Amino acid sequence: MSGSIRFSSVRDIRFGENTLFDAWLYSMLMDNNIAYGMNPDIIASPEQMAFMVSLAPNQVYLPCSDDTFKLLNAHEAPEALRHQYNRSWRILMRLVRTIVANVKERRRILQFCRFRFMQFATQHTLIPSRLVKRMTDLVLAQGNLFDDPWRQRRGASAKRQMEMLDEPPVRDNLAAMPADILPDAIATARRMLDHVELSRLLCLSAMSRALLDETFDADSLREAMQKAREACSHLRAYFEGNAAKSGTVLLLCDADGGVVFDMAVANCLTRMGHKVIFAVKSGFYFFSPTLEDMETDPSIRAMLNSGVVLHEPRLSKNELLRNLREHRLVVIGDGTRERLNLYRVSVTFSRAWKEADVILGKGWRAADVLLGSSHQYTRDVACYWHDDAGFHIQLRRHAEGAHKFSEAFIAEQAGKIIASMREARAQGRTVMFYSCVIGSIPGETGTAIELVRTFVDNLRKRMDNILIINPAEHFIDGMDGDDLMYMWEQVQRSGLIDVWRFQTVKDIEESFVLLGRKVPPQWSGKDATFSTGCTKEMRIALEVQMKNKEMQIIGPDPRRFFRRSEYGVGKYFDASIPH
């Protein structure tokens, strides 16, 4: 029971407006294991979530559609919610019957699952997709199944898809020239044919389950592809526009499978000029392709071409962009074994979302979450699926306030700083870079900027013929910690730094003296070693010094820095020191 407040959409949900509703909502987040404060190691932080969803203060993200939330928020479980729960139960029964051969063992597992299922259904706070995930974990644990139980099924499906690509009904319809009169210009004709090919492949991808389960003749498939082309017509200029500026597409897989057809879509997009990040599952989720499938299945490997599979769940922005430059097709794991749930995705997936121009979600499941929710996303979202009414594709624009800083823009800002350094060197001036605590103390970013500006201004008065690069003077509104660190790394690796100075306790104390203030407790004893950002910069400084022996490093002993693991995702303040 959620009190007297009833929300018409998930976008309206706020903490702090009704204590009874707050209690119910937090309990619901805990039941679904998506409360960050209860499990910060596996649940996306607010800063990581900000890569993907545009949220106002106290606004709460829920990984479900508005309709599903209304069902969960009812006093009693509505019939529609019970229907979704029953569907979850049927999925679990099918799973058990396909992986447990022993009748007695199967009965025991089903009975255990029935007890758990009734408890979850009675509470009616579990999002149905989370119920499937919870029950799947129980089945695999009860059956002592440590391996992927459907790997062979997916392998057989992928092999069949490869065969279908070479069978006349599919091959001939994909290759057939359209009946349209071709434009006079080669470039215009090429764009038109790209659009035709993409729409046909999207249709094939969306229909993958139906094509594998049923028999389709050439005429019915041709008709379906023609209707798909018509449905995609409103997106033609959109994808052509993205291709002209080499857009990045984040392609999401689906539980119904069809990975070979999905890879055909990805390869078509790369031929159009896009870069593609294909997000697969990090473990078993029915017919969804997994990271292991992408490297071990011969049918998939044949479609991967020169693409690369990345297993690292916490790729940095720099590493992700480097791989996209070297390979136009990159495969990553989304960090989950369930339907799209942004609370549980990996850091790599979140960064891929942030770097994408459009999220291309396959299947009705992705459409339910991304289109059925009133939440505003930071990137354009296009979902495509097939049902009894035919092929559908819908585009949803990103939140009005969301902004992407492109790699080219960030490189341009870094280039301006590097140019000033090069000019200073040409004039015989010394170039100093000052690494300092900017956001290592939550809530003190403003003070940190004031301190470093005061200190650097004083240094400039005392030192002759020197250019001091002060990061606080190059802050760009709207950039998060990831963007800034990416920009500064280009500056730092330029080879133009003569002196790399790291902030010391004495620097901070002197800064407060210059401001005419005493050192507050939260700043007492602090220096650059308390900053994860500075720790990353010390690693870079030592690497740069290996190539440029003349560069001088001033500040705390480098060994004192390496207590910290990595920079806080999207934050201006630190990840904690591991114990």
Side-chain angles (χ1 to χ4, degrees):
M1 182 178 296
S2 57
S4 59
I5 290 185
R6 289 289 180 272
F7 292 101
S8 59
S9 69
V10 290
R11 189 181 178 186
D12 297 330
I13 299 172
R14 299 287 191 279
F15 268 127
E17 294 184 357
N18 179 281
T19 54
L20 185 58
F21 177 80
D22 286 356
W24 175 85
L25 179 59
Y26 199 76
S27 176
M28 182 247 192
L29 294 173
M30 290 177 62
D31 289 345
N32 286 277
N33 197 10
I34 52 177
Y36 172 68
M38 293 297 295
N39 211 338
D41 292 334
I42 63 172
I43 297 169
S45 67
E47 292 81 13
Q48 183 180 342
M49 190 65 70
F51 286 176
M52 302 172 284
V53 189
S54 181
L55 296 173
N58 297 321
Q59 189 178 359
V60 180
Y61 172 73
L62 288 178
C64 64
S65 66
D66 287 20
D67 289 343
T68 297
F69 175 70
K70 283 184 237 180
L71 298 177
L72 296 169
N73 194 32
H75 284 293
E76 302 294 336
E79 180 62 31
L81 182 61
R82 289 197 294 270
H83 175 76
Q84 291 192 43
Y85 281 166
N86 289 338
R87 179 182 176 277
S88 302
W89 176 251
R90 290 193 298 273
I91 291 171
L92 267 297
M93 285 195 296
R94 180 190 177 198
L95 175 62
V96 172
R97 287 167 180 160
T98 59
I99 64 177
V100 183
N102 183 281
V103 176
K104 184 177 180 181
E105 179 71 4
R106 186 191 306 163
R107 188 180 299 118
R108 181 189 67 79
I109 292 175
L110 282 174
Q111 190 60 45
F112 169 78
C113 288
R114 185 175 287 108
F115 286 137
R116 300 296 295 163
F117 175 83
M118 293 305 296
Q119 289 178 337
F120 296 143
T122 301
Q123 279 182 288
H124 74 86
T125 55
L126 269 187
I127 298 169
S129 59
R130 292 293 291 160
L131 176 59
V132 172
K133 167 65 165 55
R134 188 79 54 87
M135 297 300 293
T136 300
D137 287 347
L138 291 174
V139 168
L140 298 181
Q142 284 293 303
N144 295 314
L145 297 168
F146 302 107
D147 199 13
D148 189 324
W150 278 21
R151 182 176 294 117
Q152 291 184 343
R153 284 179 167 231
R154 291 196 303 277
S157 176
K159 182 179 179 182
R160 177 65 189 128
Q161 292 166 57
M162 285 293 289
E163 293 169 350
M164 291 177 69
L165 286 177
D166 201 39
E167 291 175 356
V170 175
R171 182 194 62 209
D172 295 347
N173 276 302
L174 284 176
M177 286 293 291
D180 314 49
I181 298 174
L182 287 178
D184 295 333
I186 290 177
T188 307
R190 184 180 292 118
R191 287 197 298 270
M192 187 197 83
L193 294 176
D194 282 341
H195 167 70
V196 172
E197 182 183 19
L198 178 60
S199 65
R200 290 173 179 176
L201 288 170
L202 287 171
C203 177
L204 192 67
S205 171
M207 293 178 65
S208 55
R209 180 169 180 176
L211 288 168
L212 291 165
D213 291 347
E214 304 169 22
T215 301
F216 273 78
D217 57 41
D219 290 339
S220 59
L221 187 56
R222 184 181 306 112
E223 182 181 358
M225 287 184 173
Q226 179 57 34
K227 290 181 177 178
R229 180 186 173 187
E230 294 168 3
C232 290
S233 61
H234 68 292
L235 293 178
R236 177 177 173 179
Y238 176 85
F239 278 107
E240 285 182 359
N242 271 355
K245 64 181 180 66
S246 185
T248 301
V249 179
L250 174 58
L251 176 60
L252 310 182
C253 67
D254 183 60
D256 282 343
V259 60
V260 170
F261 300 151
D262 300 344
M263 294 294 288
V265 170
N267 288 328
C268 179
L269 287 166
T270 59
R271 286 195 299 273
M272 290 174 68
H274 292 281
K275 299 174 185 177
V276 178
I277 306 171
F278 186 30
V280 301
K281 296 299 170 182
S282 296
F284 167 68
Y285 184 55
F286 305 101
F287 278 105
S288 294
T290 66
L291 275 175
E292 186 170 346
D293 292 342
M294 303 305 289
E295 291 195 311
T296 61
D297 190 294
S299 300
I300 298 174
R301 291 296 304 173
M303 298 295 292
L304 189 57
N305 297 325
S306 59
V308 63
V309 180
L310 305 177
H311 290 266
E312 174 55 53
R314 300 184 69 86
L315 273 180
S316 69
K317 179 185 178 85
N318 203 335
E319 292 166 329
L320 178 61
L321 292 180
R322 176 178 57 79
N323 276 283
L324 282 172
R325 285 192 297 271
E326 295 173 359
H327 312 274
R328 298 196 69 82
L329 174 59
V330 170
V331 178
I332 63 170
D334 73 357
T336 76
R337 294 182 291 112
E338 61 179 301
R339 190 185 299 185
L340 183 64
N341 177 1
L342 300 185
Y343 273 115
R344 303 300 291 271
V345 296
S346 65
V347 171
T348 297
F349 179 88
S350 300
R351 285 195 166 112
W353 182 299
K354 182 172 180 282
E355 296 308 320
D357 294 291
V358 62
I359 314 302
L360 186 58
K362 173 186 173 179
W364 66 267
R365 297 169 184 84
D368 180 61
V369 174
L370 296 175
L371 301 181
S373 167
S374 55
H375 282 302
Q376 297 290 298
Y377 298 100
T378 59
R379 298 293 177 264
D380 291 352
V381 171
C383 292
Y384 68 99
W385 70 98
H386 188 273
D387 57 23
D388 293 340
F391 177 86
H392 309 271
I393 185 166
Q394 291 184 24
L395 173 67
R396 183 178 179 188
R397 295 290 187 178
H398 60 265
E400 187 175 340
H403 180 68
K404 176 185 176 182
F405 290 96
S406 68
E407 182 180 1
F409 175 82
I410 296 174
E412 181 184 358
Q413 305 311 306
K416 292 177 181 177
I417 300 170
I418 291 170
S420 69
M421 297 163 68
R422 186 173 288 112
E423 182 181 358
R425 289 279 292 271
Q427 295 170 353
R429 300 168 69 193
T430 299
V431 176
M432 175 188 287
F433 187 90
Y434 190 54
S435 284
C436 51
V437 175
I438 291 293
S440 295
I441 304 174
E444 292 289 308
T445 300
T447 301
I449 291 173
E450 186 182 16
L451 290 176
V452 68
R453 283 180 172 170
T454 300
F455 183 79
V456 169
D457 285 347
N458 190 53
L459 269 185
R460 288 169 178 153
K461 294 175 182 176
R462 290 159 33 195
M463 304 181 76
D464 189 30
N465 208 30
I466 190 168
L467 171 67
I468 303 177
I469 304 298
N470 171 13
E473 295 172 348
H474 298 274
F475 181 82
I476 298 173
D477 191 35
M479 273 194 180
D480 60 29
D482 276 42
D483 294 328
L484 288 167
M485 290 298 290
Y486 178 71
M487 180 182 78
W488 284 119
E489 185 165 354
Q490 294 182 52
V491 172
Q492 292 156 359
R493 293 188 183 276
S494 66
L496 298 171
I497 299 175
D498 298 304
V499 180
W500 197 325
R501 178 168 180 154
F502 287 82
Q503 193 174 40
T504 64
V505 173
K506 185 178 178 182
D507 291 351
I508 290 174
E509 291 174 349
E510 183 178 334
S511 301
F512 276 106
V513 170
L514 291 169
L515 289 170
R517 290 152 51 184
K518 291 184 178 180
V519 179
Q522 62 267 34
W523 282 96
S524 180
K526 296 296 189 297
D527 60 17
T529 67
F530 282 80
S531 165
T532 311
C534 288
T535 298
K536 178 180 176 66
E537 290 180 340
M538 176 57 80
R539 294 184 190 278
I540 294 171
L542 294 172
E543 291 173 12
V544 171
Q545 193 179 51
M546 292 292 292
K547 298 178 181 179
N548 179 14
K549 302 292 186 181
E550 297 298 321
M551 189 186 78
Q552 191 176 3
I553 299 175
I554 300 174
D557 188 322
R559 291 174 297 181
R560 292 183 51 217
F561 282 83
F562 304 133
R563 301 170 294 168
R564 295 177 179 269
S565 53
E566 76 164 60
Y567 194 70
V569 177
K571 300 180 179 181
Y572 295 118
F573 55 91
D574 290 350
S576 60
I577 297 176
H579 297 288

